[in-house]
Amino acid sequence: MEVVGTTPLPGLGTPLKDVPANVQVYGSKDLARQRPGSLSGFLESNPTSVTVNAAQGNPYQNDISFRGFTASPLLGVPQGLSVFQDGVRINEPFGDVVNWDLLAPSAIGSLQLIPGSNPLFGLNTLGGALAIYTKSGRQYPGGSIELSGGSFGSSTLTIEQGGASGPWDYYLTGNLSKDRGWAQHNPSRVGQLFGKVGYETERDNLDVSLTAANNRLEGTQTLPLSFLDDRRQAYTYPDLNKNQLAMLAVRASHFVRNDVLVAGNFYLRRYGNTNVSSNVNDDFGSVDPNTGEIDGVQGLNDRSVVDQTSYGGALEMTFTQPLAGRPNQLVLGGTADAGSARFTQESQPAHFDASRGTIPIGDFAPETDAKTRTRNFALYAMNTFTLHDRWTVTASGRYDDNHVGIRDESGTSPDLNGEHSFSRFNPAIGVNFNPTPGFTSYASYNEGMRAPTAMELTCADPTAPCKLPNSFVADPALKKVVAKTIEIGARGKQGDTSWSVALYRTDLFDDIQFVSSGNAINAGFFQNVGKTRRQGLEVTGATKWGPLGVVARYGYIDATFLSGFREHSPANSTADANGDILVTTGNRIPAIPQHMLRVRIDYTASGALTFGASLVANSAVRSRGDENNADVHGTVAGYALVNVDGGWRFARNWELFARIDNVFNREAANFGILGQNVFPNPARVFDPANAVAEPFLGLVTPRGAWIGLRYAWK
């Protein structure tokens, strides 16, 4: 029986046949067979309705979008997915961002993608939740050492070891990866460590885990359309992120009786980020009204630091006593999460050299020093009742009380100080009909909430756009976002053939969007834009013919604005004299493709030789800044990529493996944003007086090949 985790804490779970949603489940064998370069690479190639965009130009910092909702490591991207690691929510309190580079893929035992506005998963679950479950030594005994290398000067060493003795077990894995990047100025160095010690008896389970990372990631930003004669160049540089993490998590469960399970967890998380961004000075050429001096600074090096501590815990009870003589499962739970972050930003004047690198011409000067505090308390309940052998009804709800506090630490911006509270009860209900063991149909309705983050609350004034990482200012308060989702679907399995189909609609009320100020592609503000909608269709089919297995997944998303608003986007070719565009009901939301196709073929030639191929195809998207869908260059063309992989167990315990991504070396882009190119001449030197409005594109990685050797032992 396949069991799905339908609450934040790993517990008894719910049989898939009783889950009223198109849940997608993947195991460690799927990751091991495909051996993706990163977790985001695996998500791009496999689940239905998932897309990736390369706005930052680094493979470890991609935006992951599911059903048009995003989990991103980048400040400025409105977050709509919640992500959990063994029941701990890992959306960072500052900005709700998700850093995909912090967990080693080798530590992942399984992934579950739960769609919809499921209230049990709490804040940010507007379009879905991704639950990551790590390995244990009892489930994965033995060890391995793996070396690989290939294109772009990459090399990776991965080690893992697990085992059990009596009630105790342990698991440890480490990953060290380096590459010089496929483009100029975008190397990566990733160091990840995960360890777990567990204790398990018939009635008790205890896990203590440590997740640590120390990563240095450089990006290439987006590239203007006119620069595509050399796709490896950078628009400006340097652009650097340093991520450091140490997280201790404790999880325990105990069967009070055979029909009563108590589970809980506690975590302490320390996260630090240092960001250096090279940016064009928007005030170049302006006259200081006080001194009359002309601003001759071409560029700025903006350096920001996030120093964050978060902690929290959860307690959950599961009762499986029958109700009215029928099977019933009741879950009662509560969570408490808190976090504090110190955000500082300073700016350094610079000029651009011939390759558009910034040359400092002064010292760093402080611009922002703020401390933010977040806390969230929640109570939730879920009841799954079997009305009949064929009918199951699930009802659930969660009440969240969220508070965000902001305090100026510089002594120069007292208006920044503020306290903001958001609360709501979110309900859900679903019905499953199972006429035969191999067929399930369902219908569900659920609601979710997202509270504005500290950085959104302090960057919400259209008259004072913020750069990201942003300079905090005192701005109007934002409203919480409320999601309401309806989904109907069916799935079936007979022998080696399985299928699923789902129709869904999610409406957001008071949706928050980052609206570009237009002059600089990284400047803008957050605002509530009224109602938006994501609705679509998901179809999956899988079968096997002897050694050949095929899976095809198709997703259709119709993502539109349902409320009109005015946006400042002077780089848009249809902007008025003030640089504004009018977004109307029915305009498509940028960066979300309408059509997505994923096909995976696996062939086992023998017990020792395997081959695989993946097709990743997306239709066109609109660029950010083209919310009115009218810019002459606002469409980013669709594309299709083919990736292949294979493995050969040529001797006992030894395996040789290889992977080629983008086999046909397609030159494509998966993201666009409208901006002003201030290097518009053939020599591509700084010339803002003749700046050209054009789309800036996030480019797909060119063809790359990797080969590796793995030795495993029991």
Side-chain angles (χ1 to χ4, degrees):
M1 179 184 295
E2 192 168 17
V3 176
V4 176
T6 50
T7 62
L9 275 175
L12 293 180
T14 303
L16 181 59
K17 70 179 183 64
D18 295 332
V19 178
N22 188 25
V23 178
Q24 301 180 68
V25 181
Y26 300 89
S28 60
K29 291 183 179 180
D30 298 308
L31 280 88
R33 183 157 187 160
Q34 298 179 32
R35 283 192 170 84
S38 62
L39 176 58
S40 62
F42 178 83
L43 293 173
E44 180 182 29
S45 299
N46 290 277
T48 312
S49 299
V50 170
T51 57
V52 167
N53 76 54
Q56 187 67 6
N58 186 286
Y60 296 96
Q61 291 184 293
N62 289 323
D63 293 352
I64 306 296
S65 177
F66 172 60
R67 289 189 175 182
F69 297 91
T70 302
S72 169
L74 304 182
L75 296 172
V77 177
Q79 311 287 332
L81 301 175
S82 58
V83 182
F84 291 82
Q85 177 184 325
D86 292 331
V88 175
R89 185 174 181 269
I90 58 174
N91 297 73
E92 306 294 352
F94 188 79
D96 273 338
V97 299
V98 179
N99 292 288
W100 301 106
D101 60 297
L102 299 180
L103 179 64
S106 56
I108 298 175
S110 65
L111 300 168
Q112 295 184 1
L113 187 56
I114 300 100
S117 312
N118 189 325
L120 297 186
F121 288 94
L123 298 180
N124 263 54
T125 312
L126 303 181
L130 177 65
I132 300 171
Y133 301 98
T134 58
K135 295 177 179 177
S136 71
R138 191 172 304 278
Q139 295 172 315
Y140 296 88
S144 67
I145 182 169
E146 185 177 297
L147 286 166
S148 64
S151 296
F152 321 130
S154 66
S155 59
T156 300
L157 169 65
T158 301
I159 300 175
E160 58 180 327
Q161 174 66 51
S165 177
W168 294 94
D169 65 87
Y170 72 95
Y171 178 81
L172 179 67
T173 185
N175 178 75
L176 180 62
S177 182
K178 296 181 179 180
D179 68 68
R180 64 169 181 265
W182 71 267
Q184 300 172 19
H185 314 294
N186 79 323
S188 303
R189 186 207 66 212
V190 174
Q192 302 158 325
L193 179 69
F194 176 80
K196 180 191 289 185
V197 175
Y199 176 84
E200 183 177 342
T201 65
E202 186 176 338
R203 305 188 72 86
D204 298 297
N205 191 295
L206 172 68
D207 289 327
V208 180
S209 66
L210 174 67
T211 306
N214 186 1
N215 304 333
R216 178 187 172 94
L217 311 172
E218 295 188 45
T220 56
Q221 309 176 19
T222 51
L223 200 63
L225 184 65
S226 59
F227 276 43
L228 295 189
D229 58 318
D230 180 4
R231 304 170 73 90
R232 297 178 184 268
Q233 65 185 309
Y235 181 63
T236 64
Y237 68 94
D239 288 276
L240 167 68
N241 270 288
K242 294 181 180 178
N243 284 333
Q244 294 180 311
L245 172 73
M247 184 178 78
L248 177 69
V250 180
R251 184 185 68 180
S253 64
H254 170 68
F255 276 99
V256 179
R257 300 196 311 250
N258 291 338
D259 55 3
V260 179
L261 175 69
V262 178
N265 70 6
F266 172 80
Y267 69 92
L268 175 64
R269 185 177 177 93
R270 288 280 291 134
Y271 166 72
N273 170 266
T274 300
N275 173 275
V276 178
S277 299
S278 58
N279 297 307
V280 174
N281 179 22
D282 294 334
D283 295 327
F284 177 84
S286 64
V287 179
D288 189 315
N290 297 318
T291 65
E293 296 181 356
I294 298 176
D295 190 339
V297 175
Q298 297 179 353
L300 299 170
N301 287 323
D302 292 313
R303 183 170 64 191
S304 65
V305 176
V306 177
D307 184 10
Q308 174 187 283
T309 300
S310 56
Y311 55 92
L315 183 65
E316 183 177 288
M317 296 187 69
T318 303
F319 304 87
T320 57
Q321 297 99 330
L323 178 64
R326 302 297 303 172
N328 188 75
Q329 179 175 284
L330 172 65
V331 179
L332 302 175
T335 66
D337 300 277
S340 63
R342 184 77 175 265
F343 176 85
T344 58
Q345 179 170 333
E346 48 191 1
S347 187
Q348 177 187 54
H351 282 340
F352 294 104
D353 63 19
S355 62
R356 298 172 304 285
T358 50
I359 301 174
I361 57 173
D363 296 327
F364 279 99
E367 290 191 344
T368 306
D369 187 354
K371 187 173 184 179
T372 68
R373 294 174 290 104
T374 60
R375 63 120 177 99
N376 190 76
F377 297 112
L379 295 173
Y380 61 87
M382 180 184 73
N383 194 83
T384 303
F385 179 58
T386 304
L387 282 170
H388 184 272
D389 293 341
R390 299 180 178 181
W391 292 92
T392 303
V393 177
T394 301
S396 61
R398 174 173 172 135
Y399 177 79
D400 279 283
D401 182 52
N402 180 263
H403 183 81
V404 180
I406 306 165
R407 189 177 68 200
D408 172 54
E409 297 290 306
S410 68
T412 60
S413 303
D415 291 342
L416 181 63
N417 298 332
E419 303 291 331
H420 308 266
S421 295
F422 309 90
S423 61
R424 193 173 194 272
F425 175 77
N426 297 297
I429 189 166
V431 178
N432 286 68
F433 176 56
N434 303 290
T436 65
F439 178 82
T440 297
S441 60
Y442 62 87
S444 64
Y445 171 80
N446 44 62
E447 297 182 6
M449 179 187 92
R450 180 168 93 81
T453 66
M455 64 158 298
E456 290 172 333
L457 290 164
T458 55
C459 187
D461 189 348
T463 64
C466 301
K467 285 187 295 184
L468 299 174
N470 63 302
S471 300
F472 282 16
V473 295
D475 288 325
L478 294 170
K479 301 175 183 178
K480 62 178 176 285
V481 183
V482 174
K484 299 182 179 181
T485 299
I486 298 173
E487 180 174 340
I488 59 173
R491 52 181 170 260
K493 185 173 184 179
Q494 184 172 4
D496 291 327
T497 300
S498 60
W499 60 272
S500 67
V501 60
L503 287 165
Y504 64 89
R505 171 181 287 179
T506 300
D507 287 341
L508 296 191
F509 298 82
D510 295 317
D511 194 5
I512 296 175
Q513 295 282 320
F514 181 71
V515 179
S516 173
S517 66
N519 293 321
I521 60 175
N522 68 329
F525 60 96
F526 296 95
Q527 74 175 48
N528 293 109
V529 297
K531 188 177 179 181
T532 62
R533 172 174 291 168
R534 284 89 167 159
Q535 60 185 357
L537 166 70
E538 295 172 343
V539 180
T540 298
T543 192
K544 289 186 69 176
W545 296 282
L548 180 66
V550 179
V551 181
R553 303 178 176 93
Y554 170 76
Y556 169 79
I557 301 176
D558 179 33
T560 56
F561 295 101
L562 296 185
S563 299
F565 61 95
R566 186 172 294 275
E567 176 184 354
H568 188 63
S569 183
N572 190 306
S573 61
T574 63
D576 62 19
N578 296 319
D580 294 340
I581 61 173
L582 184 62
V583 182
T584 60
T585 299
N587 286 150
R588 285 178 55 193
I589 301 174
I592 303 174
Q594 283 191 307
H595 304 278
M596 294 144 288
L597 178 65
R598 303 291 184 267
V599 179
R600 173 70 186 178
I601 299 174
D602 286 296
Y603 182 75
T604 304
S606 66
L609 193 61
T610 61
F611 299 97
S614 298
L615 171 69
V616 177
N618 296 323
S619 64
V621 300
R622 307 299 302 193
S623 298
R624 289 182 186 163
D626 185 32
E627 281 75 11
N628 66 342
N629 301 174
D631 182 78
V632 65
H633 295 300
T635 300
V636 181
Y639 62 92
L641 307 177
V642 174
N643 308 320
V644 298
D645 54 78
W648 177 35
R649 291 183 175 86
F650 61 91
R652 184 180 180 183
N653 300 337
W654 289 93
E655 181 183 9
L656 185 69
F657 59 90
R659 187 181 91 251
I660 303 176
D661 289 348
N662 195 359
V663 172
F664 300 105
N665 202 26
R666 289 291 307 275
E667 294 185 348
N670 53 25
F671 175 79
I673 185 169
L674 302 182
Q676 299 282 347
N677 176 13
V678 297
F679 304 93
N681 45 67
R684 290 171 183 163
V685 296
F686 187 69
D687 185 14
N690 295 299
V692 175
E694 57 181 310
F696 287 62
L697 302 178
L699 304 180
V700 169
T701 304
R703 180 172 54 225
W706 296 266
I707 189 168
L709 184 65
R710 182 175 187 263
Y711 177 74
W713 58 86
K714 294 293 184 182

